[in-house]
Amino acid sequence: MFRAFLLGALVAVSVVPAMAADVARGEARVTTIFDHPLPSVPGKSLRGVLVEYGAGGSSPSHTHAASAFITATVIEGAVRSRINDGPEKVFRVGESFVEMPGDHHGVSANASDVEPSKLLAVFVVDTADQVLTTPDRP
């Protein structure tokens, strides 16, 4: 059931009309695209976040809500990522990685200086948690 939901979410994202403006070179845009309480798990929600990187774009190092379990799938281009003290890796279209509650996301960036990239991050999180991402530095 969960796999079918994720597949549906990926298909929905792939057919979403282009945003009004492309993401600028060196920038990132984060958009919540769905937020659903889980009826079989009271107090938990499933949230989908589309992360779009312009050419050479990146997000600052960060952590997520303490309750958050995250699976991220690259849906366009390629994304560089480093979780905790692990190695930096490049993920391409269709590849995924996970973040466990309490993980530190040290690198999150477009792997290309020329082409844009996108990933869909799906959070299982406490419904009460409204702030999903906290940068290391304000």
Side-chain angles (χ1 to χ4, degrees):
M1 173 91 166
F2 183 71
R3 180 175 275 188
F5 181 82
L6 283 179
L7 180 59
L10 285 172
V11 170
V13 169
S14 68
V15 298
V16 170
M19 296 292 202
D22 289 333
V23 180
R25 177 176 207 44
E27 298 292 329
R29 176 173 47 217
V30 177
T31 308
T32 300
I33 58 172
F34 62 84
D35 185 355
H36 299 286
L38 293 172
S40 59
V41 188
K44 293 288 186 179
S45 288
L46 193 64
R47 293 194 188 130
V49 176
L50 179 63
V51 181
E52 301 171 278
Y53 292 113
S58 64
S59 299
S61 58
H62 59 273
T63 55
H64 294 288
S67 69
F69 171 81
I70 305 155
T71 181
T73 303
V74 177
I75 58 175
E76 181 182 324
V79 173
R80 289 186 299 117
S81 183
R82 181 171 44 93
I83 308 298
N84 299 321
D85 294 326
E88 186 172 304
K89 295 181 182 179
V90 174
F91 296 87
R92 301 186 191 297
V93 172
E95 296 180 324
S96 300
F97 59 91
V98 299
E99 293 182 59
M100 303 301 282
D103 279 353
H104 180 259
H105 203 161
V107 174
S108 185
N110 190 337
S112 173
D113 289 330
V114 180
E115 300 294 326
S117 64
K118 294 180 187 177
L119 66 83
L120 174 64
V122 178
F123 289 67
V124 177
V125 64
D126 288 349
T127 300
D129 287 341
Q130 294 304 306
V131 176
L132 295 181
T133 304
T134 303
D136 291 349
R137 296 186 189 119

